[in-house]
């Protein structure tokens, strides 16, 4: 009896070590990739600080369009990974190519729509986000100039998702490092007028983004020639399978809907704030720099863990997946708690990120504390909804829950607080950022039922 317990303990430790090693291999490059992205975005804010608070606020609001589109791509990529990671575990590369083609058809259509809308109707879009004339003018210039980048992203982001789900995460990190590094360099040149180039301000930031995204797509195509299992080909768009298309719709599109619903709701938060004044928007932009940096590890673990668990489901050992799911939750929640503390610890850096008005500076520290508790809630929900549930093919639950929690509860409460009760901006912000705790009990209860674990391959 004692001998059997020792044997089980040894096996459990070995399994745990194997899981955390595999998680580290996947998560480390994802975390580095997100760190590069967040660092570049942070430096963009710092550089735009030299142009002025209006430039920061206007680009922040305009970027809500890209925020929604990127979340659509994240949802599409996450939904795609649900299937491709399991087929990767089965070593069925032909199905992965077909699924990538299906995702490309959808992503290119979305990219084309966003590109056209921002090029032809930038002022109308900005007018939906804010009612301040100066922010509309600056933001619409940025949107029209950056519009082509939205279509370019539609190809590169799908390829990134497939590479991640097939354990080629390092390749994605290298591509991201090159593209964002170039973007940062071009931003500096166009904002500060380096090497004899005329200072372009917000217009220069948009031009830099288009150039960087163009080169990123070229690099993706070049890299794809080295990864024989997942290559970008024009013919991929025409690959079809009735069964796989049906599976993609059933399992992947709810993930797209989930991210899109969540992203659109989060963008609506910014719209509400945009109508409360430039000061709260600018303060939020600065605090988001710190939040994005602090959340890199915990969100990377949630999405990276989904890839690892999905592969193990495809390999067929479902009991092992349950045990590793528990390990993923514990480690990610711990990372979220540490991240929230790090946010608070970074408070002394906030005044150095950008020069704000006295009112905006007064908002800044309060927003930091609100975001720190919100981040902890977001970590718990993300590891379950986007990590555990999606790994097992259950994306529909998160889609339904976020639709109700954010669009039926949080946004109406925020609108009432802002425009009916006319509460101060800080009170409105606090109410909006309670959303994670509204849905957390339901998310935990769904996990405990255990209905999320499924092998969805053919």
């Amino acid at each position: 009896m004692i001998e059997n317990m020792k044997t089980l303990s040894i096996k459990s430790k070995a399994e745990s070590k194997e899981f955390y090693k595999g998680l580290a291999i996947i998560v480390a490059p994802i975390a580095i990739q997100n760190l590069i992205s967040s660092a570049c975005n942070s430096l963009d804010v710092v550089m735009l600080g030299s142009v002025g608070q209006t430039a920061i606020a206007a680009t922040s609001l305009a970027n809500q369009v890209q925020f929604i589109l990127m979340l659509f791509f994240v949802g599409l990529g996450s939904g795609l990974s649900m299937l491709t990671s399991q087929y990767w575990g089965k070593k069925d590369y032909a199905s992965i190519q077909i699924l990538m083609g299906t995702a490309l058809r959808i992503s290119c259509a979305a990219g084309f729509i966003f590109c056209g809308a921002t090029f032809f109707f930038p002022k109308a879009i900005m007018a939906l986000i804010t009612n301040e004339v100066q922010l509309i003018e600056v933001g619409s210039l940025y949107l029209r100039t950056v519009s082509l980048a939205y279509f370019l992203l539609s190809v590169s982001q799908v390829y990134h998702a497939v590479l991640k789900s097939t354990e080629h995460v390092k390749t994605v990190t290298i591509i991201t490092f090159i593209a964002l590094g170039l973007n940062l360099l071009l931003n500096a040149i166009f904002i500060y007028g380096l090497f004899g180039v005329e200072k372009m301000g917000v217009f220069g930031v948009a031009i830099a983004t288009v150039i960087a995204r163009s080169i990123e797509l070229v690099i993706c195509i070049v890299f794809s020639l080295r990864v024989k299992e997942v290559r970008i080909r024009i013919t991929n768009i025409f690959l079809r399978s009735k069964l796989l298309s049906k599976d993609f719709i059933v399992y992947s599109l709810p993930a797209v809907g989930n991210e899109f619903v969540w992203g659109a709701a989060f963008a609506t938060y910014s719209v509400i704030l945009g109508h409360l004044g430039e000061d709260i928007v600018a303060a939020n932009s600065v605090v988001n720099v710190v939040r994005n940096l602090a959340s890199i590890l915990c969100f990377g673990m949630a999405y990276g863990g989904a890839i690892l668990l999905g592969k193990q489901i495809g390999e067929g050992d479902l009991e092992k997946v349950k045990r590793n799911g528990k390990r993923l939750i514990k480690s990610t929640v711990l990372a979220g708690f540490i991240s929230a503390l790090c946010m608070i610890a970074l408070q002394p850096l906030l005044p150095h990120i950008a020069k704000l008005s006295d009112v905006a500076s007064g908002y800044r520290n309060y927003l930091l504390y609100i975001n720190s508790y919100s981040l902890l809630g977001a970590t718990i929900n993300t590891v379950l909804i986007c990590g555990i549930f999606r790994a097992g093919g259950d994306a529909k639950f998160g889609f339904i829950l976020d639709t109700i929690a954010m669009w039926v509860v949080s946004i109406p409460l925020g609108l009432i607080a802002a425009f009916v009760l006319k509460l101060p901006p800080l009170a409105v912000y606090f109410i909006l950022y309670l959303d994670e705790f509204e849905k957390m009990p339901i998310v935990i209860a769904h996990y405990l039922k255990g209905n999320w674990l499924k092998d969805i391959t053919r």
Side-chain angles (χ1 to χ4, degrees):
M1 184 73 159
I2 297 175
E3 194 64 33
N4 287 337
M5 290 179 65
K6 286 183 177 179
T7 303
L8 288 173
S9 177
I10 292 170
K11 286 183 178 180
S12 177
K13 288 180 180 178
E15 182 180 275
S16 179
K17 184 178 180 180
E18 179 190 13
F19 172 75
Y20 286 120
K21 182 180 178 181
L23 186 64
I25 290 172
I26 293 176
V27 171
I30 291 178
I32 292 171
Q33 179 192 350
N34 291 339
L35 176 62
I36 295 167
S37 179
S38 295
C40 289
N41 291 337
S42 302
L43 288 170
D44 280 353
V45 174
V46 172
M47 287 188 283
L48 279 172
S50 67
V51 181
Q53 178 174 298
T54 299
I56 295 174
T59 53
S60 173
L61 291 174
N63 271 325
Q64 294 307 307
V65 176
Q66 181 172 313
F67 175 72
I68 294 174
L69 182 61
M70 285 300 293
L71 280 171
F72 176 83
F73 291 146
V74 168
L76 187 67
S78 179
L80 178 63
S81 295
M82 287 167 55
L83 288 159
T84 54
S85 61
Q86 292 196 17
Y87 279 110
W88 179 251
K90 293 182 71 172
K91 294 181 170 52
D92 184 350
Y93 307 136
S95 293
I96 292 174
Q97 291 284 355
I98 294 171
L99 289 165
M100 181 166 66
T102 304
L104 280 171
R105 289 195 294 273
I106 297 171
S107 66
C108 287
F112 181 78
I113 291 170
F114 272 72
C115 176
T118 50
F119 183 81
F120 291 107
F121 311 109
K123 286 190 176 182
I125 293 171
M126 285 300 301
L128 293 173
I129 302 174
T130 181
N131 56 359
E132 297 200 13
V133 176
Q134 194 171 9
L135 295 182
I136 292 173
E137 289 296 325
V138 176
S140 60
L141 170 66
Y142 176 84
L143 277 180
R144 173 166 284 167
T145 309
V146 83
S147 59
L148 179 60
Y150 299 151
F151 181 76
L152 299 171
L153 281 167
S154 66
V155 179
S156 61
Q157 293 305 301
V158 168
Y159 187 60
H160 284 185
V162 175
L163 284 176
K164 288 178 184 177
S165 65
T166 55
E167 298 182 284
H168 293 92
V169 187
K170 290 181 181 178
T171 301
V172 179
T173 304
I174 293 170
I175 295 172
T176 301
F177 178 80
I178 295 172
L180 292 180
L182 176 63
N183 196 355
L184 182 63
L185 175 63
L186 291 174
N187 279 347
I189 292 173
F190 295 149
I191 290 174
Y192 297 123
L194 304 179
F195 308 114
V197 176
E198 182 183 354
K199 292 183 179 180
M200 300 183 192
V202 170
F203 177 71
V205 172
I207 289 291
T209 300
V210 173
I211 295 173
R213 293 303 181 186
S214 300
I215 293 175
E216 178 184 28
L217 181 55
V218 172
I219 295 171
C220 282
I221 294 171
V222 172
F223 265 79
S224 75
L225 300 176
R226 302 178 57 187
V227 184
K228 63 180 181 180
E229 300 93 351
V230 282
R231 289 183 178 175
I232 297 179
R233 301 183 182 92
I234 296 177
T235 54
N236 281 359
I237 297 179
F238 305 102
L239 294 176
R240 295 178 183 272
S241 165
K242 190 173 181 179
L243 287 175
L244 288 177
S245 295
K246 181 182 177 181
D247 287 346
F248 191 89
I249 292 170
V250 171
Y251 296 111
S252 297
L253 290 190
V256 177
N258 189 184
E259 295 289 349
F260 196 71
V261 161
W262 184 88
F266 216 79
T268 303
Y269 292 178
S270 294
V271 172
I272 294 172
L273 295 176
H275 286 80
L276 297 180
E278 179 181 304
D279 290 313
I280 191 74
V281 174
N284 188 46
S285 301
V286 172
V287 171
N288 273 336
V289 169
V290 179
R291 176 173 176 142
N292 290 338
L293 289 171
S295 63
I296 287 168
L297 180 59
C298 48
F299 287 170
M301 289 176 71
Y303 284 93
I307 295 169
L308 185 58
L309 293 179
K311 180 190 175 186
Q312 292 176 352
I313 291 171
E315 292 171 345
D317 192 345
L318 300 188
E319 289 302 317
K320 179 180 178 181
V321 173
K322 287 182 181 179
R323 294 190 296 271
N324 283 336
K326 291 179 181 178
R327 294 180 178 114
L328 177 63
I329 293 170
K330 290 177 182 178
S331 56
T332 306
V333 171
L334 176 60
F337 182 74
I338 294 171
S339 297
L341 293 178
C342 287
M343 277 193 70
I344 297 172
L346 290 172
Q347 180 179 330
L349 296 178
L350 293 181
H352 303 289
I353 293 177
K355 186 178 180 181
L356 302 178
S357 68
D358 291 339
V359 175
S361 298
Y363 288 149
R364 191 177 50 208
N365 288 343
Y366 290 107
L367 301 193
L368 181 70
Y369 285 106
I370 292 173
N371 272 271
S372 64
Y373 77 71
S374 174
L375 176 60
L376 183 58
T379 298
I380 296 170
N381 289 329
T382 301
V383 71
L384 290 170
I385 294 175
C386 302
I388 301 292
F389 298 163
R390 287 187 190 174
D394 184 4
K396 191 180 294 184
F397 172 81
F399 175 42
I400 295 171
L401 179 62
D402 273 333
T403 300
I404 296 172
M406 302 189 82
W407 287 96
V408 179
V409 180
S410 293
I411 289 176
L413 284 177
L415 290 171
I416 292 169
F419 305 118
V420 178
L421 301 178
K422 298 187 183 300
L423 296 179
L426 281 177
V428 176
Y429 195 96
F430 177 82
I431 291 169
L432 287 172
Y433 279 73
L434 286 172
D435 62 328
E436 297 292 350
F437 296 93
E438 294 163 3
K439 59 190 178 185
M440 188 187 298
I442 302 171
V443 173
I444 294 173
H446 184 70
Y447 166 74
L448 294 175
K449 288 181 181 178
N451 298 329
W452 53 271
L453 185 55
K454 297 175 185 176
D455 184 340
I456 57 176
T457 59
R458 294 285 179 177

